[in-house]
Amino acid sequence: LQKVHVLPQTVLYIADAETFSGHEECHEQKKARKRNSKETAIALEKLLPKRCQVLGLVTPGIVVTPMGSSSNQPQEIEEGEAGFALLFPKIDGVKIHTFHFSKDLKNRVFDESKFAEAGLKNNPDLRVVLLFGYNSWKSGATRFLHQIVNPLNEKSIILAGGQVESFTSLTSENNNAQPGDACGVVGLAFSGPQIQSATVLLDQDVADERTAEAAMQRLKAANIPERNTIGFMFACVGRGYRHYKTKRNMEADAFRKFFPNVPLFGFFGHGEIGCDRIVTGNFVLRECNDIKDDLLHGYTTVMTLIHLGSTK
């Protein structure tokens, strides 16, 4: 952090499982030992200010734009060690906060009053919610995820994310702890009247360069400003080069073609959250009926843009 001139208030870092549980040399014994993911997480958190909110995720694969310039080519890294960290400073007119809901093994019904405590209800400035389910293989995990997603499924809010392998960090003023045997949802909420956002869903039928670029054209049509904007890509582990018949980086390349100056970050996971949805400056969406959007998917990719306003 020696070259960081603005201290972060919120940090989102994502790394693949191999990075967090790989081997490192133990100098005392002169041999390699298995790294503990908690050890790695604690070491990362020590580099950050104590009051910083930190959300750390472990996923099967990573999507990252290398450091140096937002116009660098984003990369889909499906194998090998990789990771990234996004450091958000204080931004005028924007509030970013972490949240965590874990499944209560004693109660089948989720207490929705917890949404208000997390700033996800009765918050007219809420614009974007990034949601990440963990321990999705646990009994009741899918039902619990529906209990979280359904009340937030409003046309004026962008929802995006996916199922990760685990989360390693969640530090905030509440000092939330991760129950080892539970399933749940963690995430980031973005609030502020200047925020603009949009998402598109690449379903199973998107399987070549032409159809991938058509999805990016829909995202481009949202007219989200590219300055001070971040792109997120949440893809199924079944997509990538396997889905595109050994052609690598297909979706990241399609994104770069239409958004040459927007950095792209994300992961390959075990399920996706999102849909085609656009929230622009006047917050008027396409005409819709009372039917809720289907937000939970498999074998898809969700592309998301988040514009944080015109502040410097």
Side-chain angles (χ1 to χ4, degrees), residues 203-255:
D203 61 23
Q204 296 183 32
D205 293 335
V206 177
D208 55 35
E209 187 173 9
R210 178 184 61 82
T211 52
E213 290 185 358
M216 302 308 155
Q217 285 179 314
R218 294 202 310 277
L219 192 59
K220 187 74 172 180
N223 292 320
I224 303 296
E226 291 195 20
R227 183 174 172 79
N228 295 333
T229 294
I230 305 170
F232 288 98
M233 173 179 163
F234 305 117
C236 177
V237 290
R239 291 183 72 86
Y241 72 88
R242 299 174 187 86
H243 180 66
Y244 289 102
K245 296 179 174 59
T246 72
K247 186 167 185 180
R248 295 180 181 270
N249 229 62
M250 175 74 79
E251 292 175 345
D253 286 345
F255 180 89

Side-chain angles (χ1 to χ4, degrees), residues 70-135:
S70 61
S71 61
N72 283 347
Q73 181 66 39
Q75 299 175 9
E76 299 175 17
I77 304 175
E78 301 179 60
E79 299 166 351
E81 295 188 17
F84 65 85
L86 296 178
L87 282 65
F88 296 96
K90 181 179 179 181
I91 304 171
D92 291 339
V94 175
K95 181 179 180 180
I96 306 172
H97 65 270
T98 60
F99 60 86
H100 177 207
F101 304 122
S102 61
K103 187 177 184 295
D104 188 340
L105 300 178
K106 298 179 181 179
N107 296 316
R108 287 177 59 84
V109 179
F110 178 73
D111 182 2
E112 291 191 14
S113 66
K114 294 180 180 180
F115 285 126
E117 296 174 10
L120 301 177
K121 193 174 182 180
N122 303 322
N123 178 4
D125 287 333
L126 181 63
R127 297 292 182 260
V128 183
V129 181
L130 299 182
L131 296 156
F132 310 108
Y134 62 89
N135 285 351

